């Protein structure tokens, strides 16, 4: 009998942790809090880079092809591409405070980077990525464009009828901010927890 048990072998008995008897199971990196956090940070960075590159490339094309030219009609009088230089904030607000808006953009970027360390929510990652990409896009203009460092005028070119002229960075900032308002209204925090007031 003992010989038969030795030949057949003893079946694996699941342990108390739900394993297969071969020791504790190792969870994959993606299922750990740190792994999930890294994935959300990656999403944030990808969204930010895409928003930044789209804004940067669009401004390069506008400066090369549209500046000092007649506006280009896209949808009749409802939507045109009209290149202008804006020393103010988004949508041409506060042109006398260019340096202040530059500092605010830099602070926003620092806050987003610090907040990313406890980021476990995909919608928040997308929202912060849009904010980061948009802030970097306009900050690049303020640093590198005339009339000087930290005083540069932002390139705007999207001109809807009866509305201010703006750019893709402004759009990313507004979309990211709007998404954050919705997430906050629903009680979803950046760390993935849901609270009810």
């Amino acid at each position: 009998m003992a010989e038969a048990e030795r030949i057949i072998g003893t079946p694996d008995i699941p342990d108390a942790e739900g394993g297969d008897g071969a020791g504790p199971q190792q969870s994959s990196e993606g299922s750990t809090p740190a792994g999930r956090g890294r994935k959300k940070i990656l999403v944030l960075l990808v969204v930010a880079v895409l928003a930044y590159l789209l804004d940067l490339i669009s401004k390069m094309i506008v400066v090369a092809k549209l500046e000092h030219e007649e506006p280009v009609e896209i949808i009749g009088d409802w939507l045109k591409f009209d290149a202008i230089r804006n020393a103010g904030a988004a949508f041409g607000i506060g042109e006398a405070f260019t340096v202040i808006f530059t500092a605010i953009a830099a602070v926003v970027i620092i806050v987003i980077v610090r907040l990313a360390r406890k980021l476990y929510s995909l919608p928040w990652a997308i929202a912060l990525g849009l904010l980061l990409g948009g802030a970097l896009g306009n900050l690049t203009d303020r640093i590198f464009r005339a009339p000087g460092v930290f005083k540069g005028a932002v390139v705007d070119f999207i001109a809807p009828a009866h509305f201010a002229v703006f750019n893709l960075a402004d759009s990313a900032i507004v979309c990211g901010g709007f998404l954050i308002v919705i997430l906050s209204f629903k009680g979803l925090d950046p760390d993935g927890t849901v609270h009810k007031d």
Side-chain angles (χ1 to χ4, degrees):
M1 184 68 177
E3 183 65 19
E5 288 181 355
R6 187 180 66 78
I7 295 173
I8 296 174
T10 304
D12 290 336
I13 301 173
D15 57 22
E17 300 294 328
D20 59 2
Q25 291 182 321
Q26 299 294 325
S27 58
S28 63
E29 180 180 315
S31 64
T32 64
R36 290 194 300 272
R38 280 192 286 270
K39 287 183 178 179
K40 300 306 181 290
I41 292 174
L42 180 61
V43 170
L44 185 156
L45 292 176
V46 168
V47 172
V49 168
L50 286 176
Y52 177 74
L53 289 178
L54 286 173
D55 178 67
L56 183 65
I57 292 170
S58 66
K59 289 173 179 174
M60 291 172 63
I61 294 173
V62 165
V63 170
K65 302 293 185 180
L66 295 181
E67 204 164 36
H68 310 301
E69 300 290 341
E70 290 296 318
V72 177
E73 292 187 356
I74 304 302
I75 307 176
D77 291 332
W78 290 98
L79 179 63
K80 299 179 181 179
F81 285 168
D82 185 13
I84 67 168
R85 296 294 181 113
N86 171 23
F91 310 112
I93 301 170
E95 294 189 7
F97 304 100
T98 305
V99 175
I100 295 175
F101 291 130
T102 303
I104 291 173
V107 170
V108 167
I109 292 168
I110 293 170
V111 170
I112 292 173
V113 171
R114 290 178 61 86
L115 189 59
R117 294 183 300 177
K118 57 177 183 178
L119 184 63
Y120 295 100
S121 166
L122 179 60
W124 269 95
I126 295 172
L128 293 176
L130 288 170
L131 280 179
L132 181 59
L136 285 171
N138 283 339
L139 184 60
T140 299
D141 281 0
R142 302 219 183 267
I143 294 175
F144 295 107
R145 294 194 188 278
V149 177
F150 299 118
K151 297 180 181 180
V154 173
V155 176
D156 289 336
F157 62 94
I158 304 172
H162 313 298
F163 196 72
V165 184
F166 59 97
N167 57 44
L168 294 184
D170 296 332
S171 301
I173 291 170
V174 170
C175 291
F178 185 66
L179 182 54
I180 286 175
V181 170
I182 294 175
L183 295 174
S184 299
F185 182 76
K186 295 177 68 174
L188 180 62
D189 291 332
D191 62 2
T193 59
V194 179
H195 68 272
K196 295 182 179 179
D197 295 331

